[in-house]
Every structure is written in C-alpha cells, then in structure tokens.
Amino acid sequence: MLAGKAYQIKDIITGRYYYPRDPDGMGEISESSRPLQDGEFAEWILLDGTPATCANIGLHNLYKDEIDLLLSGPNLGRNTSSAFALSSGTIGAALSSSLSQIRSIALSYGTVIHPTPDSFFHPAHDLSLRIIQHLYDNWGTDPEGLRSGEIDLYNVNIPMVEGLLGEDDLPIYWTRIWRNTYGRLFEAYMQGNAAVLTSAGSAAGPDALSSTFIPVASPASTDVEPKALGSLVFKFAPDMTNLINPAEHMLPEGSDGWAMMKGWVSVTPMRASFAEPVSAHGVHVDGTIQDRVWKMKL
C-alpha cells in the first residue's frame, strides 16, 4: 500500500509453488518446483509479501529480464479517485514495477451489485484482456496527446454492471483521477476485555475492506471516546458513502469517479510520482534558478 507499508523491508519473504488445473484453476501447492502433471497448465509462485514486494521480487529475482508487462489485479473493488488510489496495493504493485521501467497496468473490477453475479466475470475478463492488449500495442499514446515518456502506468477500472452481458462493450473513456477527500476512517473500539489483532485487512479498494479486529466478546459500545477505553484501541470503520456513491455534481466530468458512476470503463494514464502543482497558467514552475529563490523573510 502506498500510504502504508509498500515493502516488507524487515521481513523474510517466503513462497510456495502452485499448480492450477483446468477448468476451475484449483490445484496443488508444493514447497519445491516440480514438472507439470496431467491437467496442470502452469506453475505459479505464491509469495507472502505486499503486492509491491511481489512485483519487485518477480521482476528482479524470479524472472529477471523476462517480463515486459506487469499486470496487477484484477482487484474486486474499485480503485478510482485519489482517496482509494493512494492506498491501493493493486496500484502500488504497478507503481513498483513502473519504477523498474516495466510497462505496468493496474486492473480493478468496481463492485456495484452485492454480491457480484458470477455471470459478470467472464465478460469482464474478456473486455479486460482486449483493453490490456490495446494499451500494450499502443503504449504511451492517447487522444490527449501525452508523450510516451509521460505515461508510466495505466489504472483500469471496469464496473461490474449488467451492461457487461450486452452484445456491445461498455463505453471506455480516457479519464483523470478524481481528487476527492475523506474524513475519519477509524472509530474507538471497546469489547469485553480484549481486542485481537488479525491480518484480515484488504489490499486495495473499498469493496474488499474488512475489519482488522476480530471480536472475542460482544462489544459494550462501538462508539466511545478513546479516554473511556482505558487503552488505545481503534478499528477501521470508514464512512464510504460519499466515496462510493457521491452526488453527481461532485464528480468532475472526465474523472475516473465520473466514469464509474455512469457505468463506464475508466482508463487513467498515470505517472509514478506525486503530482506537482502547476501555475495559474496551467504549466509547471520553470524559469531560472534565481527565479526559484524565496523573496520573503521568515
């Protein structure tokens, strides 16, 4: 996650081998590599790290100089808007690989209907593959005239809506990130006598979020002042209403949130960098070094 721990720098990363079979991908886990058996179609490597960690190990340790495109996802849950993009493990993996100068695409399926019908997944996979192929074949070019060097990765969001089942594809839009905000994400938490930490947190996206605490007793109260707890215990309990279902007037036309609200596919070109502010004329600060000297006295 970008806003948290992107790389597990103090941990020893371990992995295992997985051998999926047709038709459902179920297979066998092995502690060591072995030849494929009847019905198995690939050897996968499962690592116990963050998405960014896995991307870097895959590029530089497992398949060095063998990969020319990294695909992160699909994540079940939208990764639109800055509020989600800045804490997305899915986008974090693509950012990690783009910093290694590898073409990178983050792919997310925006949940709209709960639960998502199984019939939506095959057409979503099919549409995703065609979008990915197009981006790969035409890397770095789009109708806005961005130069090849200006695009490090793409963030693709496909809404899981009934339109996927139609004869025609969902409309696909080039978009920009909706610069939204959020408020309180945690609430004070009190239960019986203990709070049990788990690793059940989500990698990315609002629809995949789960509590990072497992109750061991019925909560006496889930909305109390921290000082009343006797200890500092909080649980992740964000109010997602304005993030997932914002009013239409809040969404800038052409943003990824706007496309998701319309039920359209969003493809956002991105740079592996925090954005720099622009001048009132819409251009980055330039001029001579002397022009950058502070003239005010502190």
Side-chain angles (χ1 to χ4, degrees):
M1 297 176 67
L2 301 182
K5 182 172 65 174
Y7 298 99
Q8 293 174 261
I9 58 177
K10 294 184 179 180
D11 297 338
I12 301 299
I13 308 302
T14 60
R16 292 181 291 177
Y17 296 87
Y18 184 72
Y19 298 91
R21 294 189 180 92
D22 284 327
D24 56 8
M26 300 300 292
E28 179 180 286
I29 293 177
S30 173
E31 297 298 328
S32 58
S33 179
R34 61 165 175 75
L36 296 182
Q37 299 176 358
D38 290 344
E40 296 174 344
F41 58 84
E43 177 185 79
W44 293 356
I45 297 179
L46 310 179
L47 299 174
D48 64 351
T50 64
T53 296
C54 295
N56 192 269
I57 290 175
L59 291 174
H60 297 287
N61 298 91
L62 300 177
Y63 304 104
K64 186 173 176 60
D65 299 326
E66 297 181 34
I67 296 174
D68 62 356
L69 174 69
L70 182 135
L71 174 62
S72 179
N75 173 69
L76 185 55
R78 72 191 68 180
N79 274 313
T80 55
S81 80
S82 55
F84 296 137
L86 288 173
S87 59
S88 166
T90 304
I91 298 176
L95 283 168
S96 172
S97 60
S98 67
L99 288 171
S100 291
Q101 298 183 313
I102 298 296
R103 298 177 182 186
S104 307
I105 298 173
L107 174 64
S108 299
Y109 291 168
T111 305
V112 177
I113 301 173
H114 298 270
T116 301
D118 290 344
S119 59
F120 288 7
F121 285 97
H122 187 274
H125 296 337
D126 177 74
L127 179 58
S128 298
L129 289 174
R130 287 184 282 122
I131 291 173
I132 292 165
Q133 186 66 59
H134 175 81
L135 292 175
Y136 180 80
D137 292 340
N138 301 275
W139 193 266
T141 61
D142 70 23
E144 295 180 355
L146 295 177
R147 299 188 302 275
S148 176
E150 294 294 312
I151 300 174
D152 294 322
L153 66 152
Y154 289 99
N155 182 31
V156 179
N157 280 272
I158 294 181
M160 301 299 278
V161 295
E162 291 186 5
L164 288 166
L165 305 179
E167 294 184 1
D168 298 325
D169 287 335
L170 296 177
I172 304 170
Y173 280 78
W174 295 109
T175 56
R176 61 186 181 276
I177 295 177
W178 171 34
R179 295 180 59 189
N180 62 346
T181 60
Y182 55 69
R184 181 181 60 80
L185 299 179
F186 296 83
E187 67 180 15
Y189 188 69
M190 183 172 70
Q191 57 179 356
N193 297 314
V196 182
L197 280 172
T198 76
S199 58
S202 163
D207 299 305
L209 294 170
S210 60
S211 175
T212 54
F213 288 88
I214 293 180
V216 295
S218 298
S221 171
T222 59
D223 188 14
V224 297
E225 293 297 323
K227 63 183 180 182
L229 290 172
S231 62
L232 298 176
V233 181
F234 303 88
K235 72 172 182 178
F236 190 65
D239 180 2
M240 293 287 186
T241 304
N242 289 331
L243 300 181
I244 298 177
N245 296 307
E248 186 171 355
H249 72 270
M250 297 173 58
L251 296 167
E253 187 176 59
S255 67
D256 52 6
W258 166 83
M260 180 62 65
M261 186 270 295
K262 295 286 189 181
W264 300 336
V265 177
S266 165
V267 180
T268 308
M270 295 178 62
R271 300 214 67 184
S273 170
F274 285 106
E276 299 173 338
V278 297
S279 72
H281 301 291
V283 297
H284 289 280
V285 176
D286 53 16
T288 67
I289 293 297
Q290 291 303 314
D291 292 332
R292 296 170 179 259
V293 176
W294 285 25
K295 303 300 191 296
M296 70 289 289
K297 291 184 180 294
L298 299 180

